[in-house]
Amino acid sequence: MQFTPPLARLIEHFQKLPGIGPKSAQRMAFHVLKMSTQDVGEFAFALVDCKEKVRNCSQCYHLSASDPCEICTNDRRDRSTICVVADAKDVIALERTREYRGLYHVLTGLISPLEGKGPDDLTIRDLLLRVQKLGVKEVILAINPTIEGDATVLYVQGILKSLPVSITRIAFGLPVGADLEYADDITLSRSLAGRREV
Amino acid sequence: MLLKNLKLHNFRNYNEQDIEFKPGLNIILGENAQGKSNLLEAIEYISTGKSYRATHDTELISRSKNQASIAVQYFIDWDNRSNLQNISIDFKTTPVEGKTKSLKLEKKVKINGATYSTTRNLKGSLCVVSFKSEDLNLARGGPKYRRDWIDNLLSSIDLGYRETSNRYAKCITQRNRLLKNIAEKGGRYNLSDSDKEQLRVWSRQAASLGAKVTKERLKLLDQMRPLIESYQEKISGKNEPITVRYFQTSTEEDPESPQNIDQQDDQLGPNWNETSESELESRLMSLYKSRFNEELARKQTLSGPHRDDIVFCLNDLPAKNYGSQGQTRTLVLSLKIAELDLVSDHLHEPPILLLDDVLAELDLNRQNFLMQEVANRKDMQTVITTTHIDAFQKNWLNGASFYEVSGGFIKEKISC
């Protein structure tokens, strides 16, 4: 039994989303049929609206509907610190902590020849210009400890070397609430290497 | 370590099999092509998560079947047999949509109830040392045999090593791709600033990880050398000094050709075991620099632990080129027993020893030596396969258990 064409098309579109298989797509499409016309209209509008309005901020490359973004225009944020992350999702994660009050810089990826991503495809040049223009004192690299992450950190470090700015990288170690006994060896040895005096 | 029980389902030529193993010597008897090696392959697979002879894991599943499983029960402590450990691996193939010939293999690994989808977590659970006729390649074969051997040995006794060498391998793949990109863009005279800087970054990472990997290998070889030498002497009765040399390929010539042995820049000097990690790192950096044109032409990284070799020398002559048949067999046997010692040391008790038809490769003198070493290790379990029980001397068989394999069925034999 085939689905009637409009329904089949909707299922197909849902299935294109990441993490959605045929079964979930079907369930979502059937749910849409049960929703009120108004809700469906708002949903459709939200999709188009989001696509049309959300852009990369011209300064920090974070996703935002306004340019420059809310963080870059916020006067209460510390302009002498920039936190460098790979992806806009990382900004959201760090913002949730409410701990960090400086600016961000999104690289839009990591250096990876295998994926055809070189330094020129990232926003590293803009980072250099920003650091010079704003007179930034500290650059915090909040980048994953993968091979590609480590290479990117080395690269950024090399680019910023000549500037009077201190470059730090976030610490790696045990997650809070974790049990030493169950931590894997690599995490343990990294956290031993990064130990601090108490 | 003590293997208690092995269950096979659709594995190679076994349909449904359940075997109880005994402490001490377990002798598997059977004609050729009945399933003796398949049995040891199953045990080794549970231990290492890979097969030494299947190029693809789908080969492990019986023909015309789409799923298979291996399950073992074992005790970690020989003395304390209260804590039974369970490991099982399920294999399942599903056809790939749109392609008639390719199959997708799914693995489900269960270690004491915890389920994983890769065999990565197997390492460090069941510990085996295996000795089979392929191991003669350690002395005679190409450098890859020796690299694989030392990598497998190190990752079974040092979990951190595996992580480092995986990271190193990833880093080399990235660096190779970068070299390819640069070569295609016009080579070294067309190098943009960002490519130059990127190359520096990847080279530095490769050199630092490569140095770590190399240092671990050097430490292990240094630990092993006296062991190998003393076993060598025990077997041959002669005191033939063994030297181990570690080769870093720095030219395109075959690193094993005899005249190369004396080229100093190809090998780490006589005090190689004292070479520090930072020295190794700067050596690699300068190799990358001096061989850059060659690397661009070949579009790959040509120096580092993925290209290195270990050369065993008897009386200062490389065993591969100058050793007699007997000498190379003695060398491999000494290597394997030394490996057994190292793993035992790490576990604080012997691992399970798997001997796949190796007696056939050895003469009487060396057979005696091997069986004596087995007998000396009172708390070691050994599984050994053979076609003829006549190859065994009466005194080796004390307390042994016998099994007979025929056409994919195993029966325990009460006596022989």
Side-chain angles (χ1 to χ4, degrees), chain A residues 135-174:
Chain A
V136 170
K137 290 198 184 69
E138 184 181 4
V139 171
I140 304 169
L141 301 170
I143 287 172
N144 288 335
T146 54
I147 281 288
E148 292 76 19
D150 288 354
T152 312
V153 164
L154 274 176
Y155 190 92
V156 172
Q157 214 181 354
I159 293 286
L160 298 180
K161 203 170 45 193
S162 54
L163 299 178
V165 58
S166 91
I167 307 168
T168 53
R169 189 172 184 188
I170 54 164
F172 303 108
L174 293 176

Side-chain angles (χ1 to χ4, degrees), chain A residues 111-120 125 145-148 150-152 154-155 157-159 161 185-186 190, chain B residues 159-160 163-164 166-168 170-171 173-175 177-178 181 192-195 197-198 200-202 204-205 209:
Chain A
I111 298 177
S112 169
L114 278 180
E115 291 166 45
K117 279 220 166 194
D120 299 339
R125 289 277 141 210
T146 54
I147 281 288
E148 292 76 19
D150 288 354
T152 312
L154 274 176
Y155 190 92
Q157 214 181 354
I159 293 286
K161 203 170 45 193
D185 297 16
I186 316 304
R190 278 235 188 190
Chain B
L159 289 174
E163 178 70 21
T164 317
N166 283 348
R167 282 177 79 91
Y168 175 71
K170 269 190 211 153
C171 190
T173 331
Q174 292 277 21
R175 191 171 182 272
R177 179 57 70 91
L178 180 64
N181 291 348
S192 72
D193 278 353
S194 73
D195 278 346
E197 181 63 15
Q198 205 192 155
R200 184 191 70 91
V201 161
W202 286 109
R204 256 190 65 185
Q205 272 218 84
L209 289 164

